[in-house]
C-alpha cells in the first residue's frame, strides 16, 4: 500500500513504531507490562539501588519531565517503581525499582528476549543491529542540533 510514509521519514518511523509497539506489547503481555513500561523500567534498572534522577532519565528516553511523570504514575501506583529523594540534593527525585518491580522487569525481560529474537529472525540480525544504530543516531542530541540548524550531519 502506498501512502505518505513512503516520502516522509517521520510518518514511516511512526508507522513502524506503532506496529513494533503492538507486536512487542503482545509478546510481553503475560508480564502485565506494556512495552513502554518495560523500556522505562529497564532504563531505571540500569541505575541499580541508587536509582536514577528523573531529569537525566527523561533526557535518555527523549521525553519531557511531564511525560515521564505520566508514564511513571501507574508504575508507582502498582508498587513497581518508587520515587525517592536524592541523598545529596533533596530537591532532586530519583526513580528506582522496588523488589516487585525488579521481579516484574526480569519476567518481562525473558519475554522481550524472545520478541527480540523473533524480530532478528524476521528482519535479519545484522540489519536489526544496523537499524538500532541508525535510530540511536536519530534520537541523539547531535542529530537534533543538526536538524534544527538545517545542516545534514550524517
Amino acid at each position: 500500500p502506498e501512502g505518505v510514509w513512503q516520502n516522509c521519514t517521520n510518518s514511516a518511523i511512526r508507522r513502524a513504531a506503532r506496529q513494533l509497539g503492538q507486536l512487542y506489547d503482545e509478546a510481553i503481555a503475560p508480564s502485565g507490562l506494556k512495552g513502554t513500561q518495560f523500556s522505562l523500567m529497564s532504563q531505571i534498572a540500569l541505575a541499580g539501588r541508587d536509582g536514577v534522577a528523573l531529569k537525566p532519565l527523561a533526557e535518555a528516553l527523549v521525553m519531557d519531565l511531564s511525560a515521564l511523570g505520566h508514564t511513571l504514575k501507574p508504575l508507582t501506583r502498582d508498587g513497581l517503581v518508587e520515587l525517592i529523594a536524592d541523598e545529596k540534593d533533596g530537591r532532586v527525585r530519583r526513580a528506582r525499582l522496588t523488589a516487585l518491580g525488579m521481579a516484574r522487569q526480569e519476567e518481562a525481560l525473558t519475554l522481550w528476549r524472545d520478541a527480540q529474537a523473533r524480530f532478528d529472525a524476521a528482519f535479519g540480525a545484522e540489519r536489526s543491529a544496523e537499524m538500532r544504530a541508525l535510530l540511536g543516531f536519530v534520537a541523539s542530541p547531535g542529530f537534533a542540533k543538526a536538524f534544527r540548524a538545517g545542516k545534514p550531519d550524517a
Side-chain angles (χ1 to χ4, degrees):
E2 293 197 21
V4 100
W5 56 85
Q6 291 183 322
N7 296 308
C8 177
T9 304
N10 182 49
S11 295
I13 288 175
R14 285 177 182 266
R15 184 171 181 256
R18 281 191 297 274
Q19 171 136 314
L20 281 176
Q22 292 167 3
L23 293 171
Y24 275 70
D25 280 352
E26 289 170 16
I28 66 167
S31 73
L33 295 175
K34 299 246 182 231
T36 52
Q37 294 172 321
F38 169 72
S39 294
L40 175 56
M41 289 176 67
S42 295
Q43 193 69 29
I44 294 169
L46 292 173
R49 289 301 307 152
D50 292 333
V52 59
L54 296 185
K55 185 175 181 186
L57 177 60
E59 290 169 357
L61 296 168
V62 193
M63 300 175 87
D64 61 44
L65 279 171
S66 64
L68 176 61
H70 179 74
T71 306
L72 280 170
K73 193 172 286 190
L75 298 174
T76 56
R77 178 199 64 219
D78 295 345
L80 302 174
V81 173
E82 60 186 349
L83 299 178
I84 56 173
D86 186 275
E87 289 182 13
K88 295 177 183 159
D89 185 348
R91 298 170 298 175
V92 174
R93 294 186 335 163
R94 303 178 78 77
R96 73 176 173 196
L97 297 183
T98 63
L100 179 61
M102 286 186 265
R104 186 77 55 87
Q105 193 269 343
E106 282 294 322
E107 178 186 353
L109 182 60
T110 300
L111 298 166
W112 172 85
R113 284 185 178 126
D114 178 63
Q116 192 66 24
R118 287 189 276 155
F119 181 90
D120 287 348
F123 194 71
E126 189 174 315
R127 287 175 61 199
S128 178
E130 182 181 335
M131 183 176 65
R132 284 191 303 274
L134 291 169
L135 291 173
F137 173 70
V138 170
S140 74
F143 177 81
K145 183 179 178 183
F147 182 92
R148 288 183 179 115
K151 299 175 191 161
D153 186 24

